[in-house]
Amino acid sequence: MITSDGKKVGHVVGELGDNLIVESGHVRKRKHLVPRVFARIKPDEELVCVTVTKDVIEDSPSVNGGQLDEQAVMQHYGLAGGFAEPDTEGYGETVREDPAFGDKGTADAEQDRVDTRKATSQTDSAPEEEVATSRTRPGV
């Protein structure tokens, strides 16, 4: 198994639920779980690439005698299933003018940027000429 930082972390020895079991270490072997969503399996190369670093895998909960604490694994990797839903789930209203709802606010923001650039370019042209002439005088 190769991690996102290009390091070899161990080899896959099995599967447990939606997780791959990765065995690492030479003398003191440890088994860690890596969710399948982070893995890309290349069967022709006999290689598994994951999108997490070696440190994240080594700090993950280890498998103890085949027991799986799925919630702890999900929490460690930041997956939604490891966390309880917030009490406010589904409350509130969707307002059409909300920028998160659509791109209505985007057009206004783009126009503001264009106006700011125009205003800046008009006011900046005069000081640049003064700076250019002051640099040409000797001793300045």
Side-chain angles (χ1 to χ4, degrees):
M1 178 175 282
I2 304 294
T3 61
S4 63
D5 53 358
K7 297 179 181 175
K8 184 177 179 184
V9 73
H11 58 279
V12 178
V13 294
E15 296 179 35
L16 196 54
D18 289 333
N19 302 290
L20 299 174
I21 302 172
V22 180
E23 186 176 71
S24 61
H26 296 290
V27 177
R28 297 180 64 195
K29 296 192 183 254
R30 295 186 61 195
K31 294 180 181 177
H32 296 279
L33 297 174
V34 178
R36 280 186 158 279
V37 297
F38 297 117
R40 189 176 79 230
I41 300 170
K42 297 180 177 182
D44 54 326
E45 299 176 32
E46 295 184 3
L47 183 66
V48 176
C49 298
V50 291
T51 58
V52 293
T53 63
K54 183 176 181 176
D55 293 336
V56 171
I57 294 172
E58 288 178 346
D59 291 341
S60 69
S62 58
V63 179
N64 296 323
Q67 292 179 321
L68 169 68
D69 185 0
E70 194 168 346
Q71 186 169 2
V73 172
M74 286 202 217
Q75 283 180 349
H76 175 76
Y77 287 100
L79 298 174
F83 300 96
E85 292 180 9
D87 296 336
T88 59
E89 183 72 28
Y91 294 136
E93 61 182 83
T94 305
V95 181
R96 186 81 179 144
E97 290 79 26
D98 186 357
F101 183 72
D103 63 351
K104 181 178 181 347
T106 308
D108 295 336
E110 288 175 4
Q111 187 61 44
D112 288 344
R113 285 193 295 272
V114 169
D115 293 341
T116 302
R117 286 185 189 134
K118 285 181 183 177
T120 304
S121 67
Q122 291 172 356
T123 58
D124 286 346
S125 61
E128 286 178 11
E129 292 171 4
E130 292 174 13
V131 170
T133 56
S134 67
R135 289 185 189 154
T136 58
R137 284 188 275 149
V140 175

